[in-house]
Amino acid sequence: MAVITLSIILTSIVVAASITWAVKLLNWVWFRPRKLEKILRQQGLNGNPYRPFLGDLGDMIKFMKAEQPKTIELFDDILPHIFAYYHQIVTKYGENSFIWFGPWPRLNVSDPELIKEILSKPDIFHKPLPETAKILIGGMLLLEGDKWSKHRKIVTPAFHLEKLKANVLQKMNLKTKVTLACFFNEANF
């Protein structure tokens, strides 16, 4: 009797956990991205419709592989070659559009007023970096809030305009002289 009751309880727990996991997976893969797509379209942004799991990553890889073997001339427009997929999306859907990185949308914003608003509200618009990037990259680039303010106060004096003028101009002058000397020596003028 106790064994049957125990097996029923364990089976119920396994079924409940499986159903919970399936609902969370379905929400992550389908419902949440579709809801976000609807909200983005209501706000006037356009982009490719959501595709489960990979989103636009497959198309992005195809565009990159197609553009890599192509050679470009010195005066060609470099943007379609380097950022082929982004260029295609911006051409197709406009300057303010979105693409899908798996189940997450990424906004392409080029309106200066929108960019200013986004950058002035760091508590609302967070830096979209995964945990692995935080481990691998680190530094001030990934800091936010009070930590960023503290580090910026420490670093700012090193980039004071007068210090930069003195150090950078001297080094640029020296490097330019060395480069020109190498150029003229190799060209045999």
Side-chain angles (χ1 to χ4, degrees), residues 106 119 121-130 134 139-145 148:
R106 295 288 189 247
L119 292 176
K121 298 179 180 178
D123 52 327
I124 297 173
F125 300 100
H126 300 283
K127 296 176 184 175
L129 291 170
K134 291 178 184 175
M140 197 168 151
L141 176 68
L142 302 178
L143 295 178
E144 294 187 41
W148 178 83

Side-chain angles (χ1 to χ4, degrees), residues 60-177:
M60 190 178 296
I61 291 169
K62 278 189 237 172
F63 271 89
M64 287 189 330
K65 284 184 178 179
E67 284 295 322
Q68 275 181 342
K70 292 182 183 177
T71 58
I72 58 173
E73 298 298 323
L74 182 61
F75 297 106
D76 284 349
D77 187 14
I78 197 169
L79 184 66
H81 183 73
I82 294 177
F83 298 114
Y85 189 69
Y86 288 104
H87 184 299
Q88 186 260 346
I89 290 294
V90 167
T91 305
K92 188 174 180 180
Y93 294 112
E95 295 287 323
N96 297 326
S97 55
F98 62 88
I99 59 174
W100 291 96
F101 275 83
W104 302 282
R106 295 288 189 247
L107 300 180
N108 299 322
V109 180
S110 60
D111 180 22
E113 290 300 317
L114 286 175
I115 293 171
K116 185 177 179 181
E117 184 177 345
I118 289 168
L119 292 176
S120 68
K121 298 179 180 178
D123 52 327
I124 297 173
F125 300 100
H126 300 283
K127 296 176 184 175
L129 291 170
E131 291 299 319
T132 53
K134 291 178 184 175
I135 293 168
L136 297 174
I137 299 172
M140 197 168 151
L141 176 68
L142 302 178
L143 295 178
E144 294 187 41
D146 292 336
K147 280 189 172 183
W148 178 83
S149 298
K150 182 179 178 181
H151 281 76
R152 182 165 179 211
K153 285 179 185 175
I154 293 169
V155 171
T156 298
F159 294 99
H160 194 270
L161 187 59
E162 295 304 318
K163 286 184 181 178
L164 288 176
K165 281 182 184 178
N167 293 334
V168 174
L169 287 177
Q170 288 174 356
K171 289 179 182 175
M172 283 179 59
N173 191 14
L174 179 65
K175 289 292 183 183
T176 304
K177 286 179 182 177

